[in-house]
Amino acid sequence: MKRSPLLLFLLVAASLLSVAADYEVIADKAARFFRHREWASASAMYELMLEQAPDVADTYSHAIIAASMRADTTDEMRLLGQAMQHSIPFDSVMSGVRKIALMSGNIDTYEHFLLNAQKSHPWLERAIDRFLLDYYCFRADGPKMVRYSRLLLHGLPDNEAFLSTLAQGQLLEGNVDSAMTTYRNILSLNPDNYEALLYIGNRACLEIPHSQPARRDSLKRVARTTLQHAYAIRPTPFVADLLKNL
């Protein structure tokens, strides 16, 4: 029997609505399993979701965390490769994994994922180094901030952001002299860098009381010059007080 165009339209629409409803049911189950840390069941649900919608970045991010919590590195890398095959931006996957790892209280899984991805996808090494540097800044891990800042400065020696994280890492290590050298390097590239001006000026202020009289005038000149410049860029009570006490 020949079906009318309207009947065909209604049948197709009903089929699509059924698929959409099934997807929502699966997504709800996946979220529940993930919330209750039932990682194997969550992984199974995410696989069903990806079969229906293989271009959703958030699903890959959740699935990667679930695989990581099952200590299944092979599955993590398979999911990453699948995401890239479906044109999911690499940055979207990484930022999604970081957000979900943090929200679920599993932030260490993000670091492990990055390191594993770097081994499995060496052509992404430099891009992953940037994510690792951001992660170690978040964790205030001085030695690793220094290490990854130096890695990224290879080829980009004048990058102020990487120089700044290098200086911050050196400070966290307690290597103040190296940090001041890095900040002076930043000022040679950009005399208006507020962070560098503030750190150099503040450091000079701290050194003045403990220095030999012959060196105090030099330190005062450095402090006054850098802090006045910083105050001109961004006037704050803190800098005003430093200048007042010189």
Side-chain angles (χ1 to χ4, degrees), residues 184-229:
R184 284 192 288 271
N185 188 10
I186 292 173
L187 287 181
S188 72
L189 298 168
N190 177 13
D192 294 330
N193 187 288
Y194 181 81
E195 179 184 311
L197 289 166
L198 194 59
Y199 270 100
I200 290 174
N202 190 49
R203 176 63 181 174
C205 287
L206 291 173
E207 287 185 7
I208 289 170
H210 309 290
S211 298
Q212 297 295 325
R215 191 163 177 262
R216 286 177 188 169
D217 287 343
S218 174
L219 287 170
K220 286 182 179 180
R221 282 194 299 272
V222 170
R224 187 172 290 108
T225 300
T226 53
L227 292 174
Q228 284 176 342
H229 195 160

Side-chain angles (χ1 to χ4, degrees), residues 73 76-77 111-121:
T73 303
E76 288 179 69
M77 296 305 105
E111 179 188 13
H112 297 154
F113 172 65
L114 289 174
L115 294 171
N116 289 331
Q118 204 167 48
K119 292 176 184 176
S120 298
H121 302 78

Side-chain angles (χ1 to χ4, degrees), residues 32 50 68 97 107 207 225 243:
R32 185 166 63 253
L50 289 172
S68 178
V97 171
I107 190 61
E207 287 185 7
T225 300
L243 287 167

Side-chain angles (χ1 to χ4, degrees), residues 69-135:
M69 295 306 294
R70 293 186 290 107
D72 192 340
T73 303
T74 301
D75 202 34
E76 288 179 69
M77 296 305 105
R78 177 188 65 79
L79 288 161
L80 176 59
Q82 185 178 333
M84 292 191 290
Q85 286 173 4
H86 286 91
S87 302
I88 305 294
F90 176 73
D91 286 7
S92 296
V93 177
M94 293 299 176
S95 59
V97 171
R98 183 185 189 278
K99 180 182 75 173
I100 295 161
L102 183 60
M103 290 175 61
S104 61
N106 303 308
I107 190 61
D108 288 346
T109 62
Y110 175 64
E111 179 188 13
H112 297 154
F113 172 65
L114 289 174
L115 294 171
N116 289 331
Q118 204 167 48
K119 292 176 184 176
S120 298
H121 302 78
W123 60 92
L124 294 173
E125 181 176 9
R126 191 163 179 85
I128 293 174
D129 279 343
R130 292 186 179 220
F131 285 98
L132 283 165
L133 177 59
D134 287 343
Y135 171 75

Side-chain angles (χ1 to χ4, degrees), residues 5-26:
L6 177 59
L7 178 58
L8 287 172
F9 171 78
L10 291 173
L11 287 170
V12 171
S15 177
L16 290 174
L17 285 172
S18 177
V19 170
D22 287 345
Y23 183 86
E24 290 303 319
V25 169
I26 294 168

Side-chain angles (χ1 to χ4, degrees), residues 33 38-48 62-63 66-67 70 75:
F33 286 137
E38 298 177 28
W39 306 117
S41 297
S43 291
M45 293 300 102
Y46 291 130
E47 285 300 313
L48 293 175
H62 277 87
R70 293 186 290 107
D75 202 34

